[in-house]
Amino acid sequence: MEEREHVVGKSVTRVDALEKVTGRAKYTEDLCDKSAYIARVLHADIAHGIVRSVDTSEAQKLSGVVKIVTCFDVPKYYFPTAGHPWSTDPAHQDVKDRLLLTEHVRFYGDDVAAVVAENEVAAAQALRLIKVEYDPLPFVLDVQKAMEEDAPQLHENYPGNVLKHTSIHKGDFEKAKEEPGLIKVEGWYQTPTVQHCHIENFICYAYMEQGRYVIVSSTQIPHICRRVVGQALGIPWGNVRVIKPYIGGGFGNKQDILYEPLCAYLSQTVGGRLVKLDVSREETFVCNRVRHAIRTHLISYVRPNGEIAARKAECFSDQGAYASHGHSIGAKALGSFPQLYPCENFEGDVYTVFTNKPVSGAMRGYGIPQAMFAMESHTDDIAVKLGIPPYEYRWKYLMPKGYTDGFSKNVNYYDTFRECMEKGSVSVDYERKRREYAQQTGDIRKGIGMAAFWYNTGVWPISLETSSCRMVMNQDGSIQVQVGETEIGQGADTAFAQMAAETLGIPFDMVHVMTMQDTDITPFGLGAYASRQTYMAGFSIRQTAELLKSHVLDTAVEMTRQMKENLDIIDGNIVRATDGSVLMSLGELATEKLYSLTNCGHLTAESTYQIKNNAYSFGCTFAEVEVDIPGCRATLTNIVNVHDCGRLINPALAEAQVHGGMSMGIGFGLSEELKFDEKTGKPLNNNLLDYKMATFEDHPDLHGEFVENYEPTSAYGTKALGEPPVCSVAPAIRNAILNATGSGLNELPLNPHRLFAKFREDGLI
């Protein structure tokens, strides 16, 4: 009998590899006709104030200027920008606090006016000629100072600038902390404002066709974008068409609606002409989205053996000027603490607070990198204070097998943490190096540290989770696959093709995934975020492939006179399962079905699957550093990430995801920080020269390891991997520096400035 060749689990070549390496892949810029008008946005040069007037008279006289629109001209439809699933339940709808352009400036870089011109030069010159008068208002940049009684208020409906405050209470913290013999460990931990720094800046273009708005955008969320543009312009959502081509990275920044509504509106103002709105790198840092800076206060009361008797956490999440993804980031961060190290007596509060800084939104990890830096730094602080080896402490107290979260209903089905720790420890020779580095002296010292993390897969039960898929069989038996989930550089289309081929029983190269989402054509899907795509799309892909397979086998019954239950599809052929005989190829079947004079038919299937499950992903990072104490510099010399992301659909793609996440985590840990002038609120380093991203020279060899525990809730046994690799890198580096020097730094990035201050405080220099 013929054996089926499995596609899932193999490192097949990416479906988009040839197009990308040869430069033939078409991105938004490549698709935009050269006749397009150019749109540019005028950004505020104060941190807070009211626009009194906008004088465009000189700019209007400039040759090449077509249209100038100010904050006084645009429609006043408030809209949300977060790329969250929308629901008919008002409680599951994002805050509507944005306008296309604003009279109330809330950060240095807010959008005040826009120019449409015939070319880039005219647009840039026109911006310089527009004169804006403001009534300045006081501004606040610090998240806790923004909560003070006399702080300037950014939004009328949010007293104290608190967008939202939520709490978690388990057991009785106050009573539990009074237990005799407890040891108190306390610390404040701070993560900075950082930016995604994807290669392709945000770009979109828009035009009108038959009374409808057509928008081509570098977006992670085309179907959500369609809805938000409709809301922003006050038009029926069906009057909007969004097309998403290849994307040069997003990492969550493009999980917000950035300038698509404004671009569409500007097209309307010039008679529906083609208008392109491109964003510079400097604008990307300030006027798109950034990662939430979160300040965390942790207090733990532990028994001498390390057991946690009571724990309290407070998180202050810096939202910036507008709501965007808002409180969901802080809430996820807080919720991680009582899960990573289960504690019967836990008290936690998280405040998401408006400040006069760039808007914080989704970024790879969605609150967990910030939370893990706090929690895993604090964990090493506990271990050091108690004299327990950090590895041993985690082995005893990390989430055990069988743990179930009461809210998400997630279950830890395996002893994953310990499996990952053991694999990572062996990989870096952890125990030997801990002993070797224990008694160091001198100016150059080595250290090794570790940190763990957990992550959810998708957003259920907080928000809607759904996926749709369409499959069409071609004349040669190959299939076209369309899903609403988006390829943004991570290799999703390849995984989709592998899953479709596996279920349908055809070779991988017979699957053609339509990478360009088009809301007029593509079945509804929510897009790329929350490490959801392979897990969520797997449900609809499997369901749709099984439907199509059933249709094909029904056709095969007609043509072969065999019993359906005795037929199968193996390697693109109709096979009689009872003896393995190949009866016909899929190409022969499809051609006959499409062109039959007696029984013509279209072989296609389409379905939607609403997912009401979530899944834990787990892992850990081991990092080694060499610290130059007089030079106040930590050099990362070795790093390994270990992940349980379920069954690997494509091991090579999985490893690439891990390497990319580790790189982002290295920058987050050692060098990246968007800084602001305390006197003006102006961003100081919003460019790739002064903003210190980690480069190749800052990276040692990157190592990814996997523990493949099949996820029982999943269509293909897989679960989240896109975001997890970034989550535990920074605290592992911090803990390695602690191991090397005895100094525990509690604020990122761990750059020479911070090392100098801490080493001087601790008497090392």
Side-chain angles (χ1 to χ4, degrees):
M1 184 171 296
E2 188 172 349
E3 290 291 326
R4 181 188 303 275
E5 183 178 352
H6 292 285
V7 185
V8 166
K10 289 190 173 182
S11 294
V12 298
T13 303
R14 289 179 61 133
V15 297
D16 54 2
L18 183 63
E19 297 302 303
K20 288 184 173 178
V21 300
T22 59
R24 293 203 296 256
K26 295 291 189 288
Y27 295 81
T28 304
E29 175 73 27
D30 302 311
L31 296 171
C32 187
D33 191 83
K34 302 307 178 187
S35 66
Y37 286 156
I38 303 300
R40 287 287 180 268
V41 179
L42 180 68
H43 303 291
D45 58 4
I46 65 170
H48 196 199
I50 305 297
V51 177
R52 182 189 301 166
S53 66
V54 183
D55 182 355
T56 64
S57 57
E58 292 301 313
Q60 296 278 12
K61 298 174 186 176
L62 195 66
S63 175
V65 171
V66 178
K67 186 79 175 181
I68 299 178
V69 176
T70 76
C71 54
F72 302 112
D73 304 323
V74 296
K76 297 297 190 275
Y77 296 109
Y78 284 92
F79 60 94
T81 65
H84 284 146
W86 190 79
S87 169
T88 52
D89 177 2
H92 286 83
Q93 296 174 11
D94 289 300
V95 174
K96 299 176 182 179
D97 65 351
R98 296 305 295 268
L99 292 169
L100 298 178
L101 300 166
T102 185
E103 300 171 39
H104 186 168
V105 170
R106 293 180 173 90
F107 70 101
Y108 198 112
D110 213 341
D111 305 329
V112 174
V115 171
V116 179
E118 294 175 355
N119 54 65
E120 304 253 3
V121 173
Q125 290 177 336
L127 289 183
R128 289 195 290 268
L129 292 174
I130 298 173
K131 298 182 178 67
V132 183
E133 288 192 25
Y134 300 98
D135 289 326
L137 295 170
F139 64 90
V140 60
L141 303 179
D142 183 86
V143 65
Q144 285 180 276
K145 289 180 180 177
M147 299 172 66
E148 294 175 359
E149 190 174 343
D150 60 348
Q153 296 299 295
L154 274 71
H155 296 272
E156 290 181 4
N157 298 328
Y158 299 97
N161 291 314
V162 176
L163 171 62
K164 196 169 183 180
H165 163 228
T166 55
S167 301
I168 298 175
H169 294 281
K170 296 174 64 177
D172 190 334
F173 169 81
E174 292 297 333
K175 181 179 179 181
K177 75 176 187 178
E178 300 302 325
E179 178 185 322
L182 295 181
I183 299 162
K184 180 182 179 182
V185 183
E186 180 176 6
W188 284 89
Y189 306 89
Q190 174 78 40
T191 61
T193 300
V194 299
Q195 220 276 328
H196 312 68
C197 297
H198 34 72
I199 295 174
E200 179 199 37
N201 292 330
F202 173 78
I203 180 174
C204 67
Y205 62 85
Y207 58 94
M208 297 191 72
E209 186 176 76
Q210 298 179 343
R212 300 172 74 221
Y213 297 83
V214 181
I215 303 160
V216 180
S217 174
S218 179
T219 179
Q220 300 174 214
I221 47 171
H223 283 278
I224 293 174
C225 181
R226 175 189 224 182
R227 181 256 302 172
V228 175
V229 171
Q231 291 174 312
L233 301 184
I235 59 174
W237 302 352
N239 284 0
V240 181
R241 178 185 180 189
V242 176
I243 299 169
K244 183 236 73 150
Y246 280 110
I247 291 182
F251 305 115
N253 186 44
K254 297 173 185 175
Q255 198 208 332
D256 247 86
I257 308 308
L258 299 171
Y259 284 118
E260 293 96 338
L262 177 60
C263 191
Y265 174 74
L266 293 175
S267 172
Q268 175 200 312
T269 66
V270 294
R273 286 282 301 271
L274 177 64
V275 174
K276 181 176 74 171
L277 200 164
D278 200 351
V279 177
S280 69
R281 180 63 65 182
E282 289 76 10
E283 288 176 290
T284 300
F285 271 101
V286 180
C287 310
N288 286 185
R289 300 293 177 266
V290 295
R291 174 177 277 159
H292 292 72
I294 299 182
R295 186 175 297 154
T296 303
H297 185 207
L298 289 174
I299 304 174
S300 296
Y301 291 89
V302 296
R303 300 183 178 101
N305 66 355
E307 188 177 1
I308 306 161
R311 172 166 285 160
K312 183 174 184 177
E314 284 183 298
C315 298
F316 302 90
S317 181
D318 188 340
Q319 180 54 46
Y322 295 98
S324 180
H325 281 248
H327 192 63
S328 54
I329 282 91
K332 186 168 185 177
L334 179 68
S336 70
F337 296 139
Q339 294 184 66
L340 189 65
Y341 296 92
C343 173
E344 293 182 0
N345 300 290
F346 180 85
E347 189 174 286
D349 291 275
V350 57
Y351 303 85
T352 297
V353 184
F354 290 115
T355 64
N356 296 106
K357 286 166 67 176
V359 182
S360 300
M363 185 172 172
R364 194 176 195 171
Y366 212 78
I368 300 301
Q370 299 96 309
M372 292 304 98
F373 177 71
M375 187 71 264
E376 286 299 84
S377 298
H378 188 68
T379 298
D380 258 44
D381 292 346
I382 293 171
V384 167
K385 189 161 188 175
L386 298 180
I388 301 173
Y391 184 95
E392 179 184 321
Y393 184 87
R394 288 179 174 83
W395 189 276
K396 290 176 67 175
Y397 297 115
L398 275 165
M399 183 193 295
K401 177 182 177 181
Y403 177 87
T404 303
D405 179 52
F407 174 69
S408 68
K409 305 299 186 290
N410 281 2
V411 178
N412 182 2
Y413 294 101
Y414 306 94
D415 198 8
T416 290
F417 275 119
R418 288 140 195 95
E419 291 179 56
C420 289
M421 286 173 58
E422 194 166 35
K423 195 161 194 173
S425 175
V426 171
S427 177
V428 298
D429 199 7
Y430 177 83
E431 292 297 340
R432 181 187 67 79
K433 289 176 180 176
R434 286 286 296 192
R435 292 192 299 271
E436 182 182 323
Y437 302 157
Q439 304 297 326
Q440 292 179 92
T441 58
D443 290 343
I444 308 297
R445 302 182 194 177
K446 296 180 179 181
I448 188 166
M450 67 168 296
F453 76 89
W454 71 259
Y455 204 80
N456 283 327
T457 307
V459 296
W460 180 265
I462 297 171
S463 296
L464 172 72
E465 273 298 0
T466 184
S467 178
S468 300
C469 177
R470 179 186 297 124
M471 294 184 184
V472 178
M473 184 163 284
N474 302 312
Q475 290 91 332
D476 60 356
S478 65
I479 63 165
Q480 296 158 216
V481 178
Q482 290 179 309
V483 292
E485 280 61 49
T486 56
E487 169 68 64
I488 61 171
Q490 77 282 48
D493 283 352
T494 306
F496 298 158
Q498 288 181 259
M499 293 187 290
E502 179 83 9
T503 301
L504 199 53
I506 62 177
F508 173 72
D509 59 9
M510 289 180 68
V511 181
H512 310 298
V513 179
M514 303 297 102
T515 194
M516 179 182 284
Q517 274 74 32
D518 181 336
T519 57
D520 272 12
I521 301 168
T522 308
F524 182 78
L526 298 173
Y529 58 86
S531 300
R532 64 181 292 278
Q533 291 207 122
T534 307
Y535 180 84
M536 301 301 172
F539 289 95
S540 65
I541 288 171
R542 180 170 176 174
Q543 180 173 264
T544 305
E546 288 173 345
L547 286 170
L548 180 58
K549 183 175 181 178
S550 181
H551 296 335
V552 169
L553 292 181
D554 286 338
T555 302
V557 168
E558 300 170 8
M559 295 181 181
T560 65
R561 307 179 310 282
Q562 303 298 310
M563 186 179 181
K564 184 177 181 181
E565 287 71 18
N566 286 347
L567 296 177
D568 199 359
I569 304 174
I570 297 177
D571 296 334
N573 295 309
I574 302 297
V575 174
R576 187 165 56 207
T578 50
D579 62 358
S581 297
V582 175
L583 305 181
M584 63 194 317
S585 71
L586 274 185
E588 292 169 330
L589 179 145
T591 302
E592 176 62 29
K593 184 64 175 174
L594 281 166
Y595 296 103
S596 171
L597 292 174
T598 58
N599 192 18
C600 174
H602 185 211
L603 290 170
T604 183
E606 183 170 344
S607 73
T608 297
Y609 199 107
Q610 184 174 357
I611 301 97
K612 296 185 178 180
N613 279 313
N614 204 309
Y616 276 132
S617 278
F618 304 103
C620 58
T621 300
F622 288 81
E624 291 184 70
V625 297
E626 185 174 276
V627 183
D628 178 346
I629 294 177
C632 301
R633 179 177 175 82
T635 301
L636 185 65
T637 59
N638 188 24
I639 188 166
V640 60
N641 258 12
V642 189
H643 293 269
D644 175 11
C645 56
R647 183 188 188 189
L648 299 181
I649 303 298
N650 186 312
L653 285 180
E655 189 171 12
Q657 281 278 48
V658 171
H659 287 185
M662 292 164 78
S663 177
M664 188 172 278
I666 291 167
F668 185 54
L670 289 174
S671 59
E672 293 185 41
E673 180 179 17
L674 186 57
K675 301 179 77 66
F676 301 88
D677 187 330
E678 295 291 333
K679 296 179 180 178
T680 64
K682 180 181 180 179
L684 295 173
N685 60 332
N686 56 313
N687 60 78
L688 291 179
L689 176 63
D690 299 314
Y691 180 88
K692 302 302 180 184
M693 280 186 68
T695 70
F696 184 79
E697 292 184 345
D698 302 302
H699 292 173
D701 289 338
L702 304 176
H703 303 285
E705 303 274 0
F706 297 95
V707 173
E708 287 192 72
N709 286 322
Y710 192 97
E711 172 55 42
T713 67
S714 171
Y716 293 92
T718 189
K719 54 187 179 180
L721 181 62
E723 292 166 278
V726 76
C727 293
S728 54
V729 172
I733 296 171
R734 180 265 189 190
N735 290 338
I737 296 172
L738 172 64
N739 174 237
T741 66
S743 288
L745 287 85
N746 292 351
E747 184 174 2
L748 294 179
L750 306 169
N751 57 24
H753 303 286
R754 294 208 166 86
L755 265 64
F756 172 75
K758 183 61 176 173
F759 289 170
R760 188 168 63 174
E761 177 188 329
D762 292 347
L764 290 174
I765 55 175

